[in-house]
Amino acid sequence: MSRSNQEHLTAQGATLDDFELLAKISQMLTLMDRDHVLEQVIDLSSQVVGAERSSLMLNPEHSQEWNPVFFKRQQDGQVIERLGKDQAIHFARRVIDKGLAGWVVRNKQGVIVADTERDERWIVFPDGTSAARSALCVPFIYDDDVLGVLTLLHSEPNHFTEHHLRLMTIVANQATVAVRNALLFDQMERQKRQLEAILHAMPDTLLVLDDAGRVLLVNDAGAQILGSSLSLDDLRGRALSEFLANDSVLGIINEIVATPIETGQSWSFEARSEQLRHDYLVTVSVWENTFGGTAGYVVVMRDITTLRDLNRFKDEMLQMASHDLRSPLALIVGYCSLIALDTPEDSPIQEYLEIIQKSTERMKSLLDDLLRVEQIRNSPLEMNEQINFRDLVQTAVDNLRLSAANKGHQLTTELSLDGIPGIMLNPVLIRESMENLINNAIKYTPSGGKIVVRSYHQDDRVHFVVEDNGVGIPKAALPRIFQSFYRARQPGTENVEGRGLGLSLVKTIINRHHGEVWVESEEGKGSRFGFWLPISRS
Ligand code: ADP
């Protein structure tokens, strides 16, 4: 810088030293180590204003406690010290409660105390060791909050000037940015560590990819699927396509990543890793960047091997039940009939035999129902017939007319199915579902009730509804009504026989036809059960 320039600056009240100080402090703002930055701030500021002692206190998180970070004793030769925790808290409390720093925090402005002996803002503490006669104190203000206070002291009165105050105010503003940056950086680091801890702890496989299919983030389980010996850090930036040979599942994911997609989309599918010999439920979701574009994909893979094993075990158990339990039950029923033949009619044994026979029949039909649910759930549906839906409804209703009449119910139909095309469905199963709903209405309505069966078509759906004025279903039971073996056992149903499998069967059948089943009910007033099925026009 030329000499004339230097004179010009001096004329404005700022010296080259001041500018150098500001330049140095600005440079330091790029440092992320907060303590290091503040050490430099206190050191440089003290030098520039010729302070003999200085202190810097921080409370960036506005907690209860202020934290004196540093002290500088220039007389002792450039010593910067950090107080121990207890000592620091004691000091901070004292100066923030009563001292000059407290005044600055409350008034949110910098101040010069020209002579400590003549200024009431300066408090001399009984055990104070500072023999300061002048002081300069500036706050670090961010968003109207005081995050810190820098105090500079000198043993001579009138040491600090207005120019010093202006300069230190600029320094404090700069330092505030550094404190904020460091705080944010700290928070980010903390969040990053939290995220890493979560990622390591989670048993699910996680892969975060960018829109070109490169790995952004991966956890231990993810690295296993990638089948690479690279560290998690080294995996970052590698393309998923590099690892396709290592696991069959990766190929499916890569196909999704390779096709153009819309934001907000997600895919779920089950896949088996032949390499790890595990089954997974894989979910691939698109995540968006802040501009709404595709930023990449989040792949979560849940290990469902145990679930699958359990399912297999359940199927085996059911098969065992079907063969190994049904035959002895048939034997019991058969032998009971034989014994009955050989027993005098007036013997009490006849009654016992009847009870055994009835209970055995119940066990047998429970097994039949169970097997039926499993069979419908697992075997392919035969849907190769164009069925006349009106005839199907009519048959179901006709099949139950007698049992409705036996309870004195009025069973009526309201059908609005004119012009409905033939529908592809499994007639046996759909009729069974209709009968199940009508039968429930008959069972759960006290004698002399009214049951209406409605069926109509609308848009691409055909609807089937059964309405009764029976006992109804308590609100709390409604969400569970379609679960296997669930019975609401509401008042009025004590003598109604059932195993809680009918509605679960209906739901399975309707879902397998890509329809939906629903219920509305009010306890004591009645229920309305229904389902719709899609009318496919193919
Ligand atoms: P189940 O009739 O053999 O108990 P379901 O699966 O058909 O089994 O029904 C489950 C439960 O739902 C029944 O136990 C009963 O509490 C309730 N429920 C079903 N239909 C009706 C209805 N129309 N009115 C009142 N409750 C019903």
Side-chain angles (χ1 to χ4, degrees):
M1 196 174 279
S2 73
R3 186 161 180 76
S4 63
N5 229 349
Q6 190 176 349
E7 277 158 9
H8 173 72
L9 290 173
T10 313
Q12 293 297 314
T15 66
L16 253 185
D17 276 356
D18 298 346
F19 279 101
E20 267 170 29
L21 165 73
L22 293 176
K24 277 184 184 163
I25 285 183
S26 304
Q27 264 174 5
M28 279 177 336
L29 298 188
T30 54
L31 298 175
M32 280 304 159
D33 179 346
R34 182 194 73 178
D35 288 2
H36 182 55
V37 172
L38 294 178
E39 245 181 74
Q40 303 282 317
V41 165
I42 198 168
D43 195 24
L44 288 170
S45 308
S46 305
Q47 274 179 42
V48 168
V49 301
E52 291 170 352
R53 292 162 62 90
S54 12
S55 75
L56 203 159
M57 287 189 298
L58 280 188
N59 188 3
E61 287 168 89
H62 312 295
S63 59
Q64 292 297 313
E65 301 291 7
W66 276 72
N67 180 15
V69 202
F70 299 111
F71 274 84
K72 179 185 166 75
R73 289 197 180 82
Q74 207 161 24
Q75 284 167 329
D76 297 348
Q78 309 296 315
V79 184
I80 289 200
E81 71 176 66
R82 219 190 150 125
L83 291 185
K85 193 162 183 281
D86 292 343
Q87 204 187 357
I89 288 173
H90 173 69
F91 171 84
R93 235 179 236 156
R94 205 159 73 164
V95 294
I96 292 292
D97 280 357
K98 298 201 186 102
L100 183 64
W103 187 92
V104 166
V105 169
R106 284 187 294 279
N107 291 279
K108 296 182 182 171
Q109 68 179 72
V111 66
I112 294 174
V113 171
D115 186 349
T116 54
E117 286 180 6
R118 287 154 197 268
D119 195 316
E120 56 191 26
R121 289 172 298 199
W122 183 261
I123 308 285
V124 179
F125 297 106
D127 58 344
T129 51
S130 155
R133 282 295 301 278
S134 54
L136 189 161
C137 190
V138 281
F140 293 7
I141 296 181
Y142 180 83
D143 202 14
D144 210 33
D145 278 324
V146 181
L147 310 184
V149 186
L150 172 65
T151 310
L152 302 155
L153 305 171
H154 198 276
S155 53
E156 293 293 324
N158 300 313
H159 175 78
F160 298 105
T161 63
E162 280 301 318
H163 172 71
H164 287 152
L165 178 60
R166 276 199 300 276
L167 191 61
M168 284 305 112
T169 305
I170 298 172
V171 168
N173 288 344
Q174 300 260 36
T176 306
V177 177
V179 171
R180 283 289 307 169
N181 281 351
L183 190 71
L184 290 177
F185 185 71
D186 222 46
Q187 276 172 357
M188 266 172 50
E189 279 289 304
R190 224 176 307 149
Q191 281 170 356
K192 191 173 153 233
R193 277 197 295 276
Q194 271 174 8
L195 183 69
E196 277 170 0
I198 293 169
L199 287 184
H200 287 303
M202 78 187 260
D204 290 350
T205 299
L206 181 89
L207 275 172
V208 182
L209 306 170
D210 67 11
D211 55 349
R214 280 182 299 251
V215 175
L216 292 176
L217 197 73
V218 58
N219 66 355
D220 302 281
Q224 241 193 333
I225 284 281
L226 291 176
S228 162
S229 52
L230 292 175
S231 71
L232 297 189
D233 279 339
D234 290 340
L235 280 170
R236 279 189 200 133
R238 307 294 286 260
L240 179 67
S241 50
E242 290 177 41
F243 305 99
L244 297 189
N246 296 351
D247 202 300
S248 43
V249 180
L250 299 177
I252 312 173
I253 299 171
N254 196 49
E255 258 176 52
I256 294 177
V257 173
T259 38
I261 39 130
E262 289 163 25
T263 51
Q265 249 181 314
S266 75
W267 297 258
S268 262
F269 54 92
E270 288 184 14
R272 181 168 174 81
S273 157
E274 294 303 338
Q275 285 70 13
L276 300 177
R277 294 173 185 282
H278 276 236
D279 296 308
Y280 292 95
L281 175 65
V282 185
T283 312
V284 182
S285 326
V286 175
W287 61 279
E288 294 172 14
N289 60 27
T290 36
F291 310 109
T294 308
Y297 306 81
V298 180
V299 183
V300 179
M301 293 171 55
R302 169 150 299 176
D303 192 334
I304 53 165
T305 317
T306 320
L307 262 180
R308 281 242 169 131
D309 288 347
L310 274 175
N311 224 15
R312 270 192 286 269
F313 177 68
K314 184 199 73 182
D315 288 347
E316 282 165 18
M317 283 295 290
L318 277 169
Q319 267 172 13
M320 190 199 83
S322 83
H323 297 115
D324 298 0
L325 281 180
R326 272 156 59 98
S327 339
L329 286 180
L331 277 180
I332 294 172
V333 174
Y335 279 115
C336 277
S337 317
L338 277 181
I339 299 169
L341 284 179
D342 271 356
T343 310
E345 284 211 2
D346 54 353
S347 160
I349 291 178
Q350 286 288 5
E351 197 186 326
Y352 305 153
L353 286 173
E354 203 176 315
I355 294 172
I356 294 175
Q357 231 165 347
K358 271 201 179 143
S359 309
T360 318
E361 290 290 352
R362 285 229 313 266
M363 280 166 73
K364 196 170 149 300
S365 57
L366 171 65
L367 278 178
D368 289 347
D369 280 358
L370 256 175
L371 283 168
R372 197 149 167 64
V373 174
E374 283 313 305
Q375 198 188 4
I376 292 168
R377 222 166 253 165
N378 298 322
S379 52
L381 281 189
E382 281 166 27
M383 299 203 291
N384 45 12
E385 274 179 82
Q386 291 268 355
I387 301 298
N388 181 324
F389 200 76
R390 170 191 277 276
D391 290 351
L392 208 60
V393 176
Q394 206 59 63
T395 315
V397 174
D398 289 344
N399 286 349
L400 285 159
R401 276 206 191 283
L402 186 64
S403 52
N406 283 343
K407 268 191 91 176
H409 291 320
Q410 193 185 334
L411 175 60
T412 53
T413 53
E414 289 175 14
L415 309 183
S416 173
L417 294 164
D418 291 344
I420 183 173
I423 308 177
M424 287 290 220
L425 45 74
N426 184 312
V428 178
L429 295 180
I430 294 295
R431 186 179 40 74
E432 203 173 315
S433 304
M434 293 172 175
E435 287 176 3
N436 235 310
L437 297 186
I438 303 171
N439 196 31
N440 274 353
I442 296 171
K443 283 196 316 188
Y444 296 105
T445 302
S447 302
K450 274 192 185 151
I451 297 163
V452 185
V453 176
R454 280 192 197 95
S455 187
Y456 55 94
H457 68 117
Q458 205 171 46
D459 304 326
D460 281 343
R461 290 175 178 183
V462 61
H463 297 260
F464 175 85
V465 183
V466 181
E467 188 178 308
D468 65 54
N469 60 350
V471 295
I473 302 165
K475 230 190 183 93
L478 277 177
R480 302 184 58 193
I481 214 82
F482 292 101
Q483 290 173 5
S484 300
F485 298 110
Y486 182 76
R487 305 203 70 208
R489 299 188 193 284
Q490 63 274 51
T493 64
E494 296 81 5
N495 299 321
V496 181
E497 288 223 348
R499 287 178 288 276
L501 279 171
L503 289 180
S504 110
L505 195 76
V506 174
K507 186 175 159 96
T508 307
I509 293 172
I510 300 303
N511 285 353
R512 292 223 52 198
H513 280 82
H514 308 292
E516 212 172 9
V517 50
W518 53 266
V519 58
E520 288 167 4
S521 185
E522 201 176 326
E523 202 176 359
K525 293 217 164 140
S527 311
R528 203 180 292 139
F529 279 85
F531 63 76
W532 59 258
L533 295 170
I535 304 175
S536 110
R537 298 193 184 273
S538 59

